Amino acid sequence: MRTSNSSFFHPSTFVLTGIPRVEAGHIWISIPFCSLYLISILGNSTILLVIKAEQSLHDPMYFFLCMLAITDVGVCLSTLPTVLRVMLFNSREIKFDACLAQMFFIHCFSIMDSGVLLVMAFDRFVAIYNPLRYASILTNPRVTLIGVVLTVRSIALLLPLPVLLRRLPFCRSNVLAHAFCLHPNLIQLPCADTTVNSVYGLFVLLATFGLDSLSIVLSYVMIIKTVLSIASRKERLKVLNTCVSHICAVLIYYIPMIGLSLVYRFGKHASPLVHVLMANIYLLVPPMLNPIIYSIKTKQIRIKHALKRTDILKSLPQCTHTIINS
């Protein structure tokens, strides 16, 4: 009887879904998925290694870029194991506690991502509004403190989510709509009132993504106001050009996130493919594009990449000669 009650309230496993209606082609679909994951992890890892190795990049702007790269890698690593299991091996089951843990880490890193984009907007505002005091305002200890605050904020806000889910009885279907666990999907499965979960989830959404996006907009209003006070048109364009990478990063992050939220809130009767597509775009596209955007727009990183490639090419003949001789 105890085992029966336990399985009634907490199923031993959830069943993950890859891409519905094309299960037979999961092996082939896994190729672009693996490519996206590989590009995301290698791209963000390269940014971390380059900034760590290059002393001239040790300033707040690039420290915040490191934070963004870390959160992007965290999002990829949180979803990668189950996505590959489903796509490559058709292993679709995930333990109840493992699912809650994955949900926690996915949303935790996503919230940290949003927070980092906010502080990067603040960084651009300080650099443009008061460049002479930039170094004294954004000191290394303050940058570290910002990183700690963002981490604590994410963990503190998300800890109640798995606790609230554990108190609910899961007596309906245990099939999830994705190859990973998301809170909006999980709260559709219990056979009890999920008002508290929905309200708290909405609170977390507004307290993080809502406030962050509003603060980013206000930061750019102040930036534009400051830029318009510059007399020279050439100088105005030069200053605004320093914000292009960040604006692109904000757009590729918030547009899919808003789309996914709208689909879950108002698109309950939409095709399952829509849910799957929006979720994968939200979790995969920003981590993949951010390194590309910042590598293209950041002159120092681009030069460092070129120097590394030159060093590798110079070492190739010597390596080849050594291998032949051996």
Side-chain angles (χ1 to χ4, degrees):
M1 181 66 68
R2 182 176 299 177
T3 303
S4 176
N5 288 337
S6 175
S7 63
F8 175 84
F9 281 93
H10 296 149
S12 58
T13 60
F14 286 112
V15 177
L16 300 170
T17 303
I19 300 180
R21 301 173 188 170
V22 290
E23 287 82 0
H26 274 176
I27 293 292
W28 298 106
I29 297 173
S30 68
I31 296 174
F33 270 89
C34 290
S35 301
L36 291 177
Y37 276 113
L38 187 64
I39 293 171
S40 301
I41 294 173
L42 288 180
N44 286 289
S45 299
T46 300
I47 284 182
L48 291 172
L49 292 174
V50 169
I51 293 176
K52 180 182 179 181
E54 183 57 53
Q55 291 291 328
S56 64
L57 301 181
H58 290 183
D59 59 44
M61 174 183 174
Y62 297 103
F63 289 148
F64 292 138
L65 181 55
C66 282
M67 293 181 193
L68 185 67
I70 290 171
T71 58
D72 284 341
V73 171
V75 170
C76 289
L77 294 181
S78 297
T79 59
L80 179 62
T82 54
V83 170
L84 293 187
R85 276 176 49 205
V86 172
M87 295 291 183
L88 293 177
F89 307 108
N90 197 31
S91 178
R92 300 172 59 193
E93 291 189 347
I94 182 172
K95 298 291 186 180
F96 180 81
D97 289 330
C99 186
L100 295 185
Q102 185 185 49
M103 176 205 73
F104 174 83
F105 283 111
I106 290 175
H107 291 298
C108 188
F109 282 116
S110 296
I111 289 176
M112 289 175 63
D113 225 334
S114 176
V116 172
L117 290 173
L118 169 60
V119 297
M120 292 177 82
F122 176 72
D123 169 83
R124 292 299 82 208
F125 168 69
V126 173
I128 293 171
Y129 182 75
N130 202 343
L132 297 179
R133 294 191 59 200
Y134 177 78
S136 62
I137 293 175
L138 290 173
T139 60
N140 287 346
R142 286 177 180 170
V143 171
T144 303
L145 179 61
I146 288 172
V148 172
V149 170
L150 292 179
T151 304
V152 171
R153 180 187 77 154
S154 300
I155 294 174
L157 285 173
L158 283 171
L159 274 178
L161 289 182
V163 175
L164 290 172
L165 281 170
R166 288 189 66 85
R167 70 180 181 85
L168 295 172
F170 287 81
C171 51
R172 293 178 184 169
S173 171
N174 65 336
V175 178
L176 298 174
H178 308 290
F180 37 78
C181 302
L182 295 178
H183 183 257
N185 189 193
L186 283 169
I187 62 173
Q188 294 177 345
L189 302 182
C191 52
D193 186 13
T194 59
T195 302
V196 174
N197 300 68
S198 297
V199 170
Y200 185 76
L202 182 60
F203 165 75
V204 171
L205 189 69
L206 294 177
T208 53
F209 301 113
L211 286 178
D212 291 349
S213 58
L214 179 61
S215 300
I216 290 172
V217 171
L218 291 177
S219 296
Y220 272 99
V221 169
M222 298 300 295
I223 287 173
I224 293 172
K225 183 178 178 181
T226 303
V227 169
L228 290 177
S229 65
I230 300 174
S232 170
R233 181 176 180 272
K234 183 178 179 181
E235 288 299 319
R236 288 200 296 266
L237 293 176
K238 184 178 179 180
V239 170
L240 285 175
N241 191 51
T242 64
C243 302
V244 171
S245 298
H246 180 256
I247 293 172
C248 292
V250 169
L251 292 177
I252 65 173
Y253 178 78
Y254 277 102
I255 290 176
M257 187 273 293
I258 293 171
L260 180 62
S261 299
L262 291 176
V263 165
Y264 265 107
R265 293 283 173 180
F266 307 108
K268 295 181 179 180
H269 301 292
S271 169
L273 285 173
V274 175
H275 292 258
V276 171
L277 180 63
M278 292 304 302
N280 282 287
I281 288 175
Y282 167 59
L283 292 175
L284 274 177
V285 171
M288 181 194 66
L289 291 183
N290 282 336
I292 298 172
I293 291 170
Y294 277 97
S295 295
I296 291 174
K297 289 299 297 178
T298 304
K299 183 178 179 181
Q300 290 94 328
I301 291 180
R302 191 165 66 247
I303 291 174
K304 186 67 177 178
H305 284 172
L307 290 175
K308 279 185 174 291
R309 285 196 299 270
T310 302
D311 292 340
I312 292 172
L313 290 174
K314 286 181 179 178
S315 66
L316 283 178
Q318 183 177 357
C319 293
T320 305
H321 180 69
T322 304
I323 292 171
I324 293 173
N325 290 337
S326 62

